[in-house]
Amino acid sequence: MKTIIRFFALILSTSVIFTSCAPTGNEGSKNGALTGNAAEKVYVAPGEHDEFYAFISGGFSGQLAVYGLPSGRLFKVIPVFSVDAEKAYGFNEETKPMLNTSHGFIPWDDSHHPDISQTAGELDGRFVFINGNNTPRIAKIDLTTFETTEIIEIPNSAGNHSSSFVTENTEYVVAGTRFSVPYPQRDMPISEYKGNFKGALTFISVEPEHGHMDIAFQIMMPGFNYDLSHPGRGSSHGWFFFTTYNTEEANSLLEVNASQNDKDFIAAINWKMVEEYVKNGGGTKAPANYAHNVYNEDTHTATSTMKKEVVVVDPTEVPGAVYFMPTPKSPHGCDVDPSGEYIIGSGKLAAEITAHSFSKMIKAIEEKNFDGEAYGIPILSYEATLAGSVKQAGLGPLHTEFDGQGNAYTTFFISSEVVKWKLGTWEVVDRKPTYYSVGHLMIPGGNSRKPFGKYVVAMNKITKDRYLPTGPEVTQSAQLYDITGEKMELLLDFPTVGEPHYAAGIAADIVAKNSRKIFKLEENKHEYAISNEGEAKVVRNGNEVHIYMSMIRSHFAPDNIEGVQVGDKVYFHVTNLEQDYDVPHGISMIGANTSELLIMPGQTETFVWEPKQVGVWPFYCTDFCSALHQEMQGYVRVSPKGSSVPITYTLDGDEL
Ligand code: RUQ
Ligand code: CUA
């Protein structure tokens, strides 16, 4: 048995080489993928706009990138879990609290699965949520500003991977733990994993008006690995589904030891029932320690609050709320079709795709058609919930999306292809190679009741020869296919930022009309904001120096500052007085061990400079803002510690 699995693992790790060196099919030749009018289909003429936004995760970059479809053009990288020197995220004083956690300031994470907020099962374009895997967190990005405005840490979790997917009215954004851990965390032998570790599935409520997040409850599941999840919708609204692997509960050499069971599970959670249970006082208020970080758009400042309690639910105490559906071979993707009837599990080591039926699941529950239990949770009979399976579709199925016309599209990592098949008849209709080793795929609106079934984007793990070489690391990449016809058509390759895992796409007109142009100066409630140059000043407070500075084309006020000393902590609080769309200014200071600031019209940001050397040191605007951008500069005079040079500064050329 072991040797077979080892052999399979070898295929898993080496097949990439076969497929990448010898692409299958006649579309494999370098430029031969395109039929006649592919170029026309992706061409967005200069000055024209794309039809869709695509939010593609950065994986190990920790960020979320915004592209246009069909052009594949990159518009913005939104900093989320990682510091970003371009936008000062995590470097300026205002956003540092966003990266606070129970482990302190964590400037990096691994972001995988963005999901757009929904109303009545359709994308509403208000927010994008995305998970941080490594130090478990869920972030919310506001789609009026395209900025991260909230991050909540997930306690009792590790490798926050089956996240962050929303229910159909964004009642909850859901996070599930990939690694089970001791609960509560404690010093214990790893070998005692089995039966002692727990897997937390966390339901974070999203307040309807402002989207404020709060952990509503955590369901403490057996110590499996909870890999991916998707919400029920339509008929199955009120349920949530999670794939599991390592139901063996192995703690070492998982590639062998977690591949023993012929079937793992999809966990079906009736969250409405658990919600009711908690509302009626069920669950335990358990001590916890996790950060809740909120960016306030009026003060342009984030605050971090440590929360000390979380409601924990033991699933065996809510009978009828949690079931296991056996699913072959360490399933990865867990996808629900637009009607909510089919729950698709993709066994990474299986040759087929398994579809469960929601209505059959309900029937099996009613008839108590069980096949034993695991830790007190009923296991439904495999045959009873099985709707069908797609046979011999490819090797290594991972993820499935839907076009809303009865078709599903599944990625196959090992055989490097996207396979189109029919819901209900389970027949394969078409297959197209990907270049190479595709992971996730995305159809705009694919995780909703109403997909925009026009394109599918395949996100690939390996690129090899598809682009100009750039040393040992070549760009990660996505590919765009037209899916309006019976057969898919490859239209475009485009490079991506970081490693794209999942993505979320939406019709541009839903989002674009709400996009913010400026921040109104009169609404700026930042503690150190000024509303005109006359209010600019420099204030010493012990060894702290606070500079209330403004910027407008093409000067700073003040622009000459004297009286600063070595050993001071100099705070530059800088307000951009512009009230015009698309006129940010930047500021940087020689020797400051932080990033530049890039400040939007009407916004205030702060950086700290601790001068180490006596002298006269310049600062300047970093964003080419006008014909006189190069003139946008100033000086700070730094005197020795204890010097008698008083604080003075120039405004409008006059010394104050
Ligand atoms: S997971 S393929 Cu987070 Cu499939 Cu990336
Ligand atoms: Cu302001 Cu350049």
Side-chain angles (χ1 to χ4, degrees):
M1 183 62 180
K2 276 198 176 160
T3 42
I4 291 173
I5 289 162
R6 283 218 189 258
F7 175 71
F8 202 59
L10 191 73
I11 294 185
L12 276 167
S13 55
T14 56
S15 62
V16 158
I17 297 163
F18 304 140
T19 53
S20 60
C21 292
T24 50
N26 51 14
E27 290 172 333
S29 70
K30 267 261 169 56
N31 301 306
L34 304 184
T35 54
N37 60 351
E40 226 168 78
K41 287 185 178 170
V42 299
Y43 184 66
V44 177
E48 300 286 308
H49 288 176
D50 279 282
E51 192 183 346
F52 293 97
Y53 283 103
F55 298 91
I56 304 186
S57 73
F60 48 65
S61 87
Q63 317 294 45
L64 180 67
V66 188
Y67 300 80
L69 297 181
S71 71
R73 298 181 294 186
L74 172 67
F75 300 144
K76 182 173 185 173
V77 176
I78 303 171
V80 185
F81 296 113
S82 300
V83 293
D84 179 359
E86 180 190 330
K87 299 178 186 74
Y89 182 83
F91 286 102
N92 64 26
E93 295 306 294
E94 287 77 8
T95 57
K96 276 180 187 166
M98 292 301 284
L99 299 176
N100 188 42
T101 72
S102 63
H103 305 269
F105 179 80
I106 303 292
W108 174 86
D109 218 305
D110 182 17
S111 62
H112 278 216
H113 314 125
D115 203 13
I116 296 171
S117 55
Q118 299 186 17
T119 303
E122 295 182 21
L123 304 189
D124 61 25
R126 299 178 66 207
F127 307 112
V128 186
F129 300 89
I130 189 166
N131 60 325
N133 264 325
N134 184 53
T135 305
R137 290 175 270 185
I138 299 287
K140 184 184 77 194
I141 291 119
D142 187 317
L143 287 185
T144 64
T145 57
F146 287 64
E147 279 175 17
T148 305
T149 53
E150 196 171 353
I151 294 183
I152 194 160
E153 189 181 359
I154 314 297
N156 304 319
S157 272
N160 172 38
H161 192 259
S162 36
S163 325
S164 51
F165 301 102
V166 301
T167 55
E168 71 171 31
N169 292 297
T170 322
E171 294 97 335
Y172 296 99
V173 51
V174 173
T177 198
R178 174 171 153 211
F179 308 119
S180 283
V181 288
Y183 169 71
Q185 265 295 9
R186 60 191 180 276
D187 176 15
M188 64 171 280
I190 300 170
S191 58
E192 290 168 22
Y193 175 133
K194 196 167 184 158
N196 288 316
F197 284 27
K198 288 272 179 279
L201 305 181
T202 304
F203 285 70
I204 302 153
S205 60
V206 181
E207 173 270 322
E209 207 186 334
H210 301 102
H212 202 74
M213 297 192 289
D214 199 8
I215 296 182
F217 51 85
Q218 295 196 298
I219 306 173
M220 282 300 163
M221 298 286 286
F224 310 150
N225 291 43
Y226 296 85
D227 204 12
L228 276 153
S229 70
H230 266 100
R233 58 177 60 98
S235 57
S236 54
H237 177 56
W239 289 79
F240 221 96
F241 304 95
F242 295 82
T243 42
T244 68
Y245 66 99
N246 193 22
T247 50
E248 297 86 349
E249 294 180 79
N251 55 277
S252 168
L253 198 61
L254 262 62
E255 76 172 309
V256 173
N257 295 330
S259 304
Q260 302 296 317
N261 291 349
D262 185 47
K263 296 190 180 66
D264 295 281
F265 301 127
I266 287 180
I269 312 282
N270 185 333
W271 58 259
K272 280 220 164 139
M273 205 168 192
V274 180
E275 180 186 61
E276 220 21 61
Y277 170 77
V278 170
K279 248 187 217 147
N280 294 326
T284 313
K285 289 201 170 87
N289 187 32
Y290 59 100
H292 183 203
N293 310 330
V294 180
Y295 182 82
N296 180 320
E297 240 142 57
D298 298 323
T299 60
H300 303 286
T301 303
T303 46
S304 178
T305 313
M306 294 310 295
K307 302 260 222 161
K308 297 293 177 193
E309 201 175 71
V310 70
V311 175
V312 165
V313 174
D314 174 347
T316 61
E317 291 188 356
V318 201
V322 181
Y323 296 93
F324 287 131
M325 292 193 281
T327 304
K329 291 287 165 208
S330 305
H332 182 60
C334 184
D335 300 288
V336 179
D337 86 301
S339 74
E341 167 64 6
Y342 297 118
I343 302 121
I344 318 295
S346 297
K348 297 188 292 285
L349 305 178
E352 56 185 48
I353 308 162
T354 306
H356 296 282
S357 151
F358 176 72
S359 47
K360 287 177 90 172
M361 181 191 97
I362 294 297
K363 192 156 165 272
I365 291 170
E366 283 166 2
E367 292 172 354
K368 297 203 170 9
N369 199 343
F370 300 148
D371 194 1
E373 56 163 54
Y375 295 102
I377 296 167
I379 301 170
L380 295 165
S381 136
Y382 174 63
E383 286 73 28
T385 63
L386 186 70
S389 51
V390 187
K391 299 261 189 302
Q392 321 241 276
L395 271 180
L398 288 184
H399 296 281
T400 301
E401 292 258 304
F402 309 90
D403 63 7
Q405 276 125 50
N407 301 302
Y409 301 74
T410 300
T411 51
F412 287 83
F413 176 78
I414 301 175
S415 51
S416 261
E417 56 192 341
V418 176
V419 172
K420 175 181 177 181
W421 50 276
K422 277 205 173 345
L423 288 160
T425 68
W426 323 114
E427 63 196 308
V428 171
V429 194
D430 188 27
R431 60 177 69 241
K432 283 284 178 298
T434 59
Y435 305 96
Y436 307 98
S437 302
V438 61
H440 267 279
L441 77 176
M442 180 275 279
I443 291 173
N447 173 36
S448 78
R449 272 157 83 164
K450 214 177 126 200
F452 306 87
K454 194 165 178 184
Y455 302 109
V456 65
V457 177
M459 286 155 270
N460 303 322
K461 301 298 181 193
I462 310 255
T463 335
K464 299 274 186 197
D465 55 357
R466 300 293 286 184
Y467 297 94
L468 286 174
T470 49
E473 203 214 357
V474 281
T475 183
Q476 309 261 340
S477 149
Q479 295 187 288
L480 183 78
Y481 298 79
D482 180 339
I483 54 167
T484 53
E486 179 76 359
K487 301 279 175 198
M488 296 175 270
E489 186 191 356
L490 175 60
L491 300 178
L492 181 73
D493 280 19
F494 62 100
T496 60
V497 174
E499 183 195 357
H501 280 263
Y502 197 34
I506 183 169
D509 55 8
I510 301 174
V511 173
K513 59 176 188 287
N514 299 323
S515 194
R516 187 115 183 202
K517 293 201 157 60
I518 60 162
F519 296 98
K520 288 201 181 120
L521 259 185
E522 65 265 28
E523 290 169 6
N524 181 336
K525 300 209 167 60
H526 189 289
E527 204 187 335
Y528 292 94
I530 56 176
S531 56
N532 61 67
E533 285 180 18
E535 292 172 15
K537 60 183 175 186
V538 181
V539 179
R540 175 178 283 284
N541 180 5
N543 74 335
E544 282 185 5
V545 176
H546 291 269
I547 305 172
Y548 297 66
M549 183 180 272
S550 69
M551 50 187 4
I552 194 162
R553 279 162 291 182
S554 298
H555 58 274
F556 295 98
D559 67 352
N560 281 191
I561 297 160
E562 303 199 359
V564 168
Q565 299 175 9
V566 170
D568 281 344
K569 238 181 157 177
V570 184
Y571 290 82
F572 286 76
H573 307 285
V574 191
T575 303
N576 180 350
L577 297 179
E578 304 281 356
Q579 292 287 271
D580 268 354
Y581 185 33
D582 197 23
V583 190
H585 293 282
I587 181 171
S588 66
M589 180 77 223
I590 187 173
N593 60 349
T594 182
S595 75
E596 64 152 358
L597 300 179
L598 185 68
I599 308 173
M600 298 305 127
Q603 201 174 23
T604 305
E605 290 186 25
T606 303
F607 75 92
V608 184
W609 178 50
E610 296 177 75
K612 305 278 187 302
Q613 297 173 31
V614 165
V616 176
W617 305 104
F619 57 90
Y620 70 96
C621 174
T622 46
D623 184 16
F624 205 106
C625 50
S626 74
L628 296 172
H629 156 79
Q630 288 298 78
E631 280 72 12
M632 197 162 170
Q633 63 177 59
Y635 287 103
V636 180
R637 173 180 169 189
V638 178
S639 306
K641 197 172 177 63
S643 148
S644 59
V645 177
I647 291 278
T648 56
Y649 50 94
T650 53
L651 282 186
D652 254 346
D654 296 331
E655 189 165 312
L656 298 177

